[in-house]
Amino acid sequence: MKHLKLCVAGQYQTLPRQSELYKQPGKIALITGGNRGIGLRIVKKLVECEIEVILGVRNPVDSRKAVEAYLEHAKIPVSSCKLHYEQLDIGNMKSVREFATKIRAKFDKIHLLINNAGVMSVPFKLNDEGFESHMAINYYGHFLLTHLLLPQLRAAGTAECKARVVNVSSCVHKIGEIDYNDINKVKNYYPADAYNQSKLAQVLFAKYTNLMFEEEGMPVLSYSLHPGVVNTDLFEHSSTNYIPWVRALLFKNPEEGSRTVVYAAIAPKLETRGGCYLSNCREAGSHRYWNNSVQCEKLFNFTCDTLGIDDFFYKGK
């Protein structure tokens, strides 16, 4: 069996060990935003593992063209890949519900859910439901999607190999604060604060749901991670857009950014480390609230109320 090196030295520190991709036929992964940036590289690594991949994307036709062109350039026969493209606007809760209904009708099991799609430092905007863009796209949509696909995740997990939910967050979550009095930043909008808040929410969500999965005896694990500061179009609204050479010099490239995400999704050594926060393919320090179950539960209950979810861990279909 051919092994492919996955984790290598990061830019700012040397990793003490390496991990490898390995064949996992029969597994199904679902990723949001897998048609560009690090998502595209994540999809490539998953298909190299012979994992069937569902892509939740805004434009399935254009996304198919982009993914197939990238795989062909990487000399991976598209005919050998099991790829599915479904329309999803992760920042629109109606779209999330419609997407989840389609997925549940087509797939009995989902082994890996990678909550990857996101925005950063975008202009202030409220969606149709009144949610600010960062919270809607980075957090609320993925929270709701995880809830709606729990039956598929539960069905896929076993005691020996649990299903996994991977939240792609950011190191800036460490300076984030949850502003319950103005969660949508209507009174005072600063893009960085809105982004940091949404990234912190993702981390606390992963930590709390993993605790609850353990308590409920569900064969599912949750992780959150920092993929690195990656040179993608996520930075199109940041000041670095005016000096792109700085990004090329100092930031990780998308392939490097995909490594920790895939590590969280498939590394066997993480089977007993559910709930952890990762950076550069190893566990890292997190926000002061990460280990505060009261704060994690507060956000969880607030989000359920906001989205109208009565029982997040429901067992039905």
Side-chain angles (χ1 to χ4, degrees):
M1 178 174 62
K2 182 179 179 181
H3 287 83
L4 304 165
K5 295 297 177 62
L6 175 60
C7 295
V8 297
Q11 290 145 289
Y12 309 113
Q13 57 183 312
T14 300
L15 297 178
R17 50 190 178 273
Q18 294 181 327
S19 183
E20 297 173 328
L21 299 179
Y22 55 96
K23 306 300 183 184
Q24 300 177 73
K27 280 195 174 183
I28 300 173
L30 190 155
I31 180 172
T32 62
N35 59 316
R36 60 182 182 175
I38 68 172
L40 193 57
R41 280 68 181 181
I42 294 167
V43 170
K44 174 179 176 288
K45 288 180 170 63
L46 294 176
V47 298
E48 287 180 303
C49 293
E50 297 183 3
I51 295 174
E52 188 171 354
V53 183
I54 307 162
L55 291 87
V57 290
R58 284 178 176 268
N59 189 318
V61 175
D62 289 349
S63 295
R64 179 188 294 272
K65 293 177 182 177
V67 172
E68 291 185 353
Y70 177 71
L71 293 177
E72 288 172 356
H73 179 74
K75 294 182 169 46
I76 297 176
V78 174
S79 60
S80 69
C81 305
K82 295 181 179 179
L83 297 170
H84 309 270
Y85 304 83
E86 294 289 349
Q87 201 283 325
L88 169 64
D89 178 356
I90 193 66
N92 181 294
M93 303 308 116
K94 181 175 182 291
S95 176
V96 173
R97 293 182 184 279
E98 291 174 349
F99 171 78
T101 298
K102 290 180 183 177
I103 298 304
R104 291 199 304 261
K106 295 180 179 180
F107 300 91
D108 294 328
K109 297 180 179 180
I110 294 174
H111 302 81
L112 309 171
L113 172 58
I114 302 176
N115 293 324
N116 166 71
V119 294
M120 182 179 74
S121 298
V122 295
F124 178 75
K125 182 180 179 181
L126 298 178
N127 70 1
D128 293 341
E129 292 118 339
F131 303 147
E132 186 274 323
S133 295
H134 291 92
M135 286 296 282
I137 296 170
N138 297 347
Y139 177 57
Y140 286 144
H142 289 120
F143 187 103
L144 180 60
L145 182 62
T146 304
H147 160 64
L148 294 173
L149 295 183
L150 270 183
Q152 279 63 34
L153 290 163
R154 184 186 294 107
T158 65
E160 297 75 25
C161 186
K162 297 180 175 66
R164 298 188 183 188
V165 179
V166 178
N167 289 344
V168 182
S169 181
S170 167
C171 63
V172 300
H173 85 274
K174 296 178 185 179
I175 57 173
E177 298 292 339
I178 306 296
D179 186 355
Y180 291 102
N181 295 318
D182 187 22
I183 200 78
N184 292 305
K185 306 296 183 183
V186 175
K187 298 176 183 176
N188 184 24
Y189 182 73
Y190 183 57
D193 286 345
Y195 178 71
N196 299 349
Q197 174 181 250
S198 70
K199 293 287 131 176
L200 172 58
Q202 289 180 306
V203 171
L204 300 186
F205 171 47
K207 178 66 173 180
Y208 185 75
T209 50
N210 195 79
L211 289 172
M212 293 303 295
F213 290 151
E214 291 181 357
E215 187 174 305
E216 295 284 331
M218 293 175 56
V220 184
L221 301 168
S222 288
Y223 305 92
S224 60
L225 61 92
H226 171 53
V229 182
V230 185
N231 188 11
T232 68
D233 56 8
L234 189 67
F235 284 88
E236 65 180 318
H237 295 288
S238 76
S239 58
T240 63
N241 208 39
Y242 299 104
I243 42 176
W245 63 268
V246 171
R247 285 159 51 177
L249 180 65
L250 299 178
F251 292 8
K252 288 182 176 180
N253 62 46
E255 190 282 324
E256 292 169 328
S258 71
R259 295 172 186 170
T260 301
V261 183
V262 178
Y263 179 77
I266 70 173
K269 65 180 60 179
L270 293 180
E271 191 68 26
T272 60
R273 303 301 301 161
C276 69
Y277 169 76
L278 301 161
S279 178
N280 275 327
C281 296
R282 59 184 175 190
E283 294 184 48
S286 186
H287 192 278
R288 66 186 186 280
Y289 284 170
W290 176 82
N291 212 26
N292 186 322
S293 60
V294 173
Q295 291 297 330
C296 290
E297 184 177 14
K298 179 180 180 180
L299 175 64
F300 180 84
N301 289 336
F302 176 89
T303 308
C304 284
D305 290 342
T306 299
L307 297 177
I309 298 173
D310 294 325
D311 181 9
F312 185 91
F313 301 97
Y314 75 110
K315 295 181 172 58
K317 289 190 177 184

